Amino acid sequence: MQAREEERRRLRRDLHDGLGPTLAGLTMRAEAALAVGAGEAAQGLLEEIVRDAEAAVVEVRRLVEGLRPPALDTLGLRGALTAHLAGWPPGGPHVGVDAPQELPVLPAAVEVAAYMIAVEALANARRHAGATAVRLGLRLDGGHLLVTVTDDGRAATAAPGTAIGAGVGMHSMRERAAELGGTLEVVSSPAGTTVTAHLPVGAAT
């Protein structure tokens, strides 16, 4: 629940501090253009309105993408994650993907949670673990979607073979899973770290 509330808080802040003033400015400039009538002054105001309107469209798209990555709708979960990995800068670990080419239709909330958890776990493997190889897995197991990210990097600070969990990113992943009635497990070993999310596919709407 906290992860969802944090997203709502961010959305309110972005609407209030970003998009709201932009739209208010558009209204004021339009009223000013009407007041001055035809001429160079009106033309300048109209040009400003066009620029601000274009900026508002970009901001709306950014806010929408923050709620649900558009790649999920066009590429599906596997394709969206593959596209995300394709955008990584060079020099990072090799990432292999173990997933069906086409997954069954999943609840929207499950797709978003799976995507966000996978992206966060992949980022951790790249930035913090110093991994050279990472495996991303997606598969259905009974009534659950299993999302796994395994790396060969530095193990987190926990006894080998034990579950761990700390930090903002880890906390966010756990809450995304718990929101759907699922679980997230992080296990460290001398060979690296494995993150596994169990997401019920029938629990979200």
Side-chain angles (χ1 to χ4, degrees):
M1 292 295 292
Q2 184 173 338
R4 182 170 58 191
E5 290 306 315
E6 287 296 330
E7 288 181 357
R8 287 176 175 173
R9 183 183 302 171
R10 175 187 60 79
L11 181 59
R12 284 196 301 269
R13 183 178 63 248
D14 288 348
L15 288 171
H16 181 272
D17 297 341
L19 190 57
T22 298
L23 295 177
L26 282 172
T27 301
M28 293 175 62
R29 288 188 176 89
E31 291 172 346
L34 288 172
V36 300
E40 292 185 4
Q43 180 66 27
L45 288 170
L46 290 173
E47 290 174 355
E48 290 181 2
I49 290 172
V50 170
R51 288 195 296 271
D52 284 354
E54 291 173 345
V57 169
V58 171
E59 179 69 4
V60 168
R61 287 175 178 165
R62 185 186 70 80
L63 293 173
V64 170
E65 290 179 6
L67 295 175
R68 177 177 171 84
L72 287 174
D73 294 321
T74 57
L75 301 174
L77 179 57
R78 186 188 196 279
L81 287 169
T82 301
H84 171 77
L85 290 169
W88 274 17
H94 171 76
V95 182
V97 179
D98 296 323
Q101 287 297 324
E102 292 188 13
L103 289 163
V105 176
L106 299 168
V110 173
E111 276 192 324
V112 171
Y115 179 88
M116 295 298 189
I117 288 170
V119 166
E120 180 67 32
L122 289 165
N124 287 343
R126 176 184 176 86
R127 297 172 186 167
H128 307 305
T132 60
V134 182
R135 300 297 297 180
L136 166 65
L138 302 170
R139 68 182 178 91
L140 287 174
D141 183 12
H144 289 75
L145 173 68
L146 267 60
V147 182
T148 60
V149 175
T150 302
D151 69 67
D152 64 351
R154 294 185 298 273
T157 55
T162 60
I164 60 172
V168 175
M170 201 68 68
H171 184 66
S172 175
M173 287 192 289
R174 289 190 186 282
E175 290 201 330
R176 287 187 183 278
E179 248 185 3
L180 302 178
T183 60
L184 185 127
E185 181 183 47
V186 186
V187 176
S188 175
S189 78
T193 299
T194 297
V195 177
T196 305
H198 298 255
L199 306 177
V201 296
T205 58

